């Protein structure tokens, strides 16, 4: 699942939590998203270590920051469910 779709799913879960429909969120689903994001973080870190061009390094650094932010949101959501 691309990062964009994962982020959208995480946002939908957070919206459910805000509207009081948290019982519909399965903890296993949040754990699965967290697992995917952690895997993606590892993958991007490896790509970043191998990148030599400055432009590619900047894109990967931005992508890594985004994934790390999503991981923090997923961890927070997991603690709320």
């Amino acid at each position: 699942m691309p990062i964009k779709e994962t982020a959208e799913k995480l946002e939908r879960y957070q919206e459910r939590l805000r509207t009081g429909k948290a019982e519909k969120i399965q903890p296993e689903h949040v754990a699965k998203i967290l697992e995917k994001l952690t895997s993606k973080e590892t993958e991007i870190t490896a790509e970043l270590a191998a990148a030599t061009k400055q432009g590619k390094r900047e894109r990967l650094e931005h992508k890594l920051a985004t994934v790390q932010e999503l991981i923090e949101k997923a961890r927070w959501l997991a603690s709320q469910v």
Side-chain angles (χ1 to χ4, degrees), residues 10-78:
L10 190 59
E11 183 59 38
R12 286 192 304 266
Y13 284 162
Q14 288 178 325
E15 182 61 32
R16 285 184 193 171
L17 188 64
R18 283 191 289 270
T19 60
K21 298 178 182 176
E23 68 276 355
K24 293 184 178 182
I25 300 171
Q26 299 296 318
E28 301 85 31
H29 294 172
V30 178
K32 188 174 182 180
I33 287 177
L34 190 54
E35 181 181 315
K36 287 180 182 184
L37 288 170
T38 305
S39 172
K40 193 65 166 179
E41 179 184 33
T42 304
E43 179 184 319
I44 293 170
T45 302
E47 282 184 56
L48 185 59
T52 56
K53 294 182 180 179
Q54 184 61 30
K56 185 172 184 173
R57 288 188 64 76
E58 289 174 1
R59 285 191 306 275
L60 289 172
E61 287 170 354
H62 182 266
K63 192 181 271 192
L64 183 60
T66 301
V67 169
Q68 289 171 337
E69 180 182 323
L70 290 172
I71 288 171
E72 289 303 314
K73 287 182 180 182
R75 285 183 179 150
W76 176 83
L77 183 61

